[in-house]
Amino acid sequence: MSDDPNGIPQEQYERGLTKRTQVMGEAYVGAALDPDAFGADFQRFLTAYAWGSAWGRGNLTDRERHMVTLAILAALGREKELEGHIHATTNTGVSERDLSDVLHQVAVYAGVPAGLSAVNTARRVFAARDAQNEQ
């Protein structure tokens, strides 16, 4: 039974919201979930299914699942989403060394341009993080 006009079970959405906030951070999720913005129903769907179902599964830790996610985003060249997930590595225990190892795998299996693009995205994120920490 669904509590949502689009058929999304409320419990699944809430589980997803908790996991998404845990991984991506409250500010990121709050900005994404503007109920009055175009795509609000898509964000609700994404929260319930990507975060409530996929990220909510057992067996893999959040760290492991995050490394898989980073590899897929890098391999597909989804730089904007990759950037957000690189920011979130501090929330899942993925170290810079872990990310470097993941991006080496991406370069071997998805191609050097994909790996290099992801490395450059990581450099930008880390530089911004370092600059913010210095303030």
Side-chain angles (χ1 to χ4, degrees):
M1 186 70 153
S2 172
D3 303 322
D4 179 273
N6 296 311
I8 297 171
Q10 185 63 27
E11 180 183 323
Q12 184 177 347
Y13 173 77
E14 289 173 10
R15 186 174 57 247
L17 183 59
T18 298
K19 181 59 71 177
R20 190 176 187 186
T21 302
Q22 211 178 5
V23 172
M24 300 303 291
E26 200 168 310
Y28 182 95
V29 174
L33 293 177
D34 178 353
D36 298 322
F38 175 79
D41 59 337
F42 181 79
Q43 288 294 327
R44 192 169 168 77
F45 165 83
L46 180 66
T47 300
Y49 291 100
W51 294 95
S53 291
W55 273 82
R57 291 177 56 90
N59 293 331
L60 295 179
T61 65
D62 284 350
R63 179 180 166 275
E64 292 165 334
R65 196 172 305 278
H66 208 189
M67 287 191 290
V68 170
T69 301
L70 291 159
I72 293 168
L73 292 173
L76 293 174
R78 302 298 194 254
E79 289 185 30
K80 184 169 176 38
E81 290 80 7
L82 178 62
E83 183 177 329
H85 276 275
I86 292 170
H87 278 290
T89 57
T90 58
N91 299 330
T92 58
V94 176
S95 69
E96 287 186 21
R97 176 57 195 254
D98 292 334
L99 180 59
S100 177
D101 287 351
V102 165
L103 298 182
H104 278 78
Q105 291 291 113
V106 168
V108 169
Y109 288 97
V112 171
L116 182 58
S117 179
V119 165
N120 289 333
T121 299
R123 282 183 181 158
R124 285 192 303 275
V125 170
F126 295 149
R129 184 186 296 165
D130 291 346
Q132 186 177 30
N133 288 339
E134 289 176 4
Q135 293 179 353

